[in-house]
């Protein structure tokens, strides 16, 4: 008879996170207990505390999907010149990584989305951590791009900050994604999801103040946001 498989420390840790993810997505942070996580993972509570300091520590690990998508989205941008062109690319990445399916990551993507939307209706611990991580990582490049684009006359100045303009882009994409969260659109647009994402990008670029002249550069960047292609 084959013996019981013994997981390494890292694999055990990942299995606990995997078991915790749907619980947090369904019940939220405050509605999920360490005991429930241990039961779902098939381990003792003591073993949970061997790998994590507590429920908060496990919850923080659930940002791994968002961290990976952010890493992929920002790859190579540090070597691109700041300005309107890079800003267009950033908007494409933000909108499309939220609205479109990412091959090879669809289960993680869907779980992350459900977890995020569930948390927005509850304690907001995960949502706050998610948005803070995004801002901390993209703030510098976003600000530099806006400053350069404004200086070149490609973006109109505004009283709202550059960071808030990019957050509006993010939140619009989230709202459109929410309408498709069940797998079937709750509101019927007369275009495909891919075309809707493209139209959302155009809408966002207008919204953040990009001029018509600068927008003409979009045609050469239409697929740049789809970094998985």
């Amino acid at each position: 008879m084959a013996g019981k498989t013994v997981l390494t420390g890292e694999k055990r840790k990942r299995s606990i996170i995997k078991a915790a993810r749907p619980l947090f997505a369904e019940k939220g942070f405050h509605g999920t207990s360490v005991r429930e996580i241990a039961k779902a993972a098939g381990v003792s509570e003591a073993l949970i505390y061997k790998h994590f300091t507590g429920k908060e520590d496990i919850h923080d690990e659930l940002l791994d999907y968002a961290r990976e998508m952010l890493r992929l989205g920002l790859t190579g941008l540090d070597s691109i010149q700041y300005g309107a062109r890079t800003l267009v690319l950033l908007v494409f990445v933000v909108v499309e990584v939220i609205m479109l399916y990412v091959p090879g990551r669809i289960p993680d993507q869907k779980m992350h989305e459900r977890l995020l939307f569930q948390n927005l209706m509850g304690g907001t611990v995960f949502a706050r951590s998610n948005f803070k991580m995004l801002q901390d990582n993209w703030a510098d490049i976003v600000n530099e791009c806006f400053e350069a684009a404004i200086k070149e006359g490609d973006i109109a100045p505004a009283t709202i900050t550059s960071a808030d303009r990019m957050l509006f882009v993010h939140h619009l994409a989230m709202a459109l994604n929410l309408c498709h969260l069940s797998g079937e659109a709750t509101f019927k647009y007369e275009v495909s999801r891919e075309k809707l994402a493209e139209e959302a990008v155009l809408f966002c670029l207008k919204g953040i103040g990009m001029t018509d002249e600068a927008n003409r550069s979009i045609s050469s960047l239409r697929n740049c946001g789809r970094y998985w292609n």
Side-chain angles (χ1 to χ4, degrees):
M1 183 177 178
K4 185 177 181 180
T5 301
V6 178
L7 299 180
T8 63
E10 183 59 29
K11 286 184 177 180
R12 175 63 72 190
K13 183 176 180 180
R14 303 314 300 174
S15 72
I16 292 170
I17 294 170
K18 183 178 180 180
R21 194 183 299 272
L23 290 174
F24 282 126
E26 179 183 353
K27 299 184 176 184
F29 176 77
H30 296 293
T32 303
S33 67
V34 173
R35 177 177 295 180
E36 289 174 314
I37 295 171
K39 182 178 179 181
V43 300
S44 66
E45 289 185 60
L47 188 59
I48 294 284
Y49 286 108
K50 180 180 178 181
H51 294 284
F52 303 94
T53 58
K55 186 170 66 171
E56 295 81 359
D57 195 15
I58 300 174
H59 201 256
D60 182 64
E61 289 287 342
L62 300 180
L63 287 170
D64 58 351
Y65 171 80
R67 292 189 186 101
E68 177 65 8
M69 291 300 100
L70 182 65
R71 183 189 68 78
L72 289 173
L74 295 180
T75 296
L77 289 184
D78 54 351
S79 62
I80 296 178
Q81 185 176 0
Y82 294 133
R85 187 176 179 84
T86 301
L87 198 55
V88 169
L89 181 57
L90 280 171
V91 172
F92 263 111
V93 170
V94 170
V95 172
E96 294 195 341
V97 79
I98 293 174
M99 286 189 62
L100 303 181
Y101 291 131
V102 181
R105 298 303 301 269
I106 294 175
D108 291 337
Q109 181 181 3
K110 288 184 175 181
M111 187 61 72
H112 175 81
E113 291 166 352
R114 290 184 180 279
L115 179 61
L116 181 58
F117 286 122
Q118 165 70 27
N119 197 254
L120 285 169
M121 297 185 293
T124 72
V125 177
F126 177 79
R128 288 178 183 274
S129 297
N130 184 77
F131 295 143
K132 184 178 186 303
M133 182 202 67
L134 291 175
Q135 284 186 293
D136 288 348
N137 282 275
W138 77 23
D140 290 342
I141 189 171
V142 165
N143 287 334
E144 291 285 355
C145 283
F146 266 100
E147 287 181 13
I150 290 172
K151 185 177 181 180
E152 293 297 321
D154 294 326
I155 291 279
T159 55
I160 189 172
T161 66
S162 300
D164 283 347
R165 288 201 231 189
M166 188 57 73
L167 278 176
F168 280 179
V169 172
H170 186 276
H171 294 166
L172 174 62
M174 281 182 60
L176 289 169
N177 187 48
L178 179 59
C179 292
H180 294 81
L181 194 60
S182 67
E184 181 180 350
T186 53
F187 184 88
K188 182 173 175 57
Y189 285 93
E190 298 302 324
V191 294
S192 67
R193 191 165 179 169
E194 289 74 17
K195 181 62 177 177
L196 180 61
E198 186 176 302
E199 292 298 324
V201 169
L202 298 175
F203 185 88
C204 287
L205 291 174
K206 282 284 191 178
I208 64 175
M210 190 163 287
T211 64
D212 291 337
E213 184 176 350
N215 267 328
R216 295 193 183 96
S217 67
I218 295 172
S219 60
S220 64
L221 295 173
R222 285 192 182 278
N223 293 316
C224 288
R226 296 170 194 168
Y227 52 82
W228 53 80
N229 283 349

